[in-house]
Amino acid sequence: MYKQISRSLFIPIIATILLSSCALWNGLMKGKELAESAVVEFHNRLNAQQCSEIYEQADNRFKQQHEKSAALKACKAIHERLGKVKSSNLLGFNIESTPTETLATLTYNTEFTHVTITEEFVLVIEGDKARIVGYNLMQ
């Protein structure tokens, strides 16, 4: 009788696990898509020299780490020294989800007018939006 009960529970338990895994995977992929869209928006705003808009759309943690005037100055310096974004290719990504938030880290190989460089974006996913928490340039 014990074997019969355990066998009858096996399929529903496996089905539940598989469905949960699919839902989690879909949620993570949605987060990746939102983060990628935010990077495209960031690059478009950088090219248009809309540094203030980039700052205003950033997560509060970014704003706490970077005073507005310093962030705007750095944004303008990036545009002046590197030039416009010509293309970017995703090198890798990591999505971390906890009960309280989802963070996406995306690394790009980005070709600017004057140089090709690696960019790292850390974004928090909130509903249907992604906000920049961190941004790094690496050579």
Side-chain angles (χ1 to χ4, degrees):
M1 182 158 161
Y2 178 71
K3 282 185 173 182
Q4 188 176 10
I5 292 173
S6 64
R7 285 183 186 164
S8 65
L9 292 176
F10 180 74
I11 291 176
I13 290 171
I14 294 300
T16 301
I17 292 170
L18 289 174
L19 289 174
S20 296
S21 297
C22 290
L24 177 61
W25 179 257
N26 288 337
L28 294 177
M29 289 301 98
K30 181 181 178 189
K32 178 181 177 270
E33 290 172 11
L34 291 171
E36 287 178 309
S37 293
V39 170
V40 169
E41 182 179 340
F42 175 90
H43 285 152
N44 289 339
R45 288 180 187 236
L46 184 63
N47 283 348
Q49 298 183 32
Q50 296 175 340
C51 296
S52 185
E53 288 84 351
I54 291 171
Y55 186 83
E56 294 305 321
Q57 294 299 314
D59 185 74
N60 284 335
R61 288 171 279 193
F62 182 88
K63 294 175 185 176
Q64 290 169 354
Q65 292 178 350
H66 306 283
E67 184 179 292
K68 185 174 183 176
S69 61
L72 296 179
K73 185 177 178 181
C75 178
K76 290 176 183 174
I78 290 169
H79 187 269
E80 290 171 5
R81 293 181 184 147
L82 306 181
K84 288 190 171 192
V85 174
K86 294 171 72 177
S87 67
S88 62
N89 297 308
L90 182 65
L91 296 175
F93 71 95
N94 184 43
I95 309 289
E96 294 180 28
S97 191
T98 68
T100 57
E101 72 178 0
T102 299
L103 288 175
T105 303
L106 286 79
T107 306
Y108 284 85
N109 186 46
T110 304
E111 179 185 2
F112 289 85
T113 306
H114 306 300
V115 68
T116 299
I117 200 160
T118 301
E119 294 178 294
E120 181 184 67
F121 295 86
V122 178
L123 303 109
V124 62
I125 310 300
E126 298 170 329
D128 288 336
K129 293 192 177 201
R131 297 186 182 276
I132 294 176
V133 175
Y135 175 70
N136 294 298
L137 294 170
M138 301 171 281
Q139 285 190 321

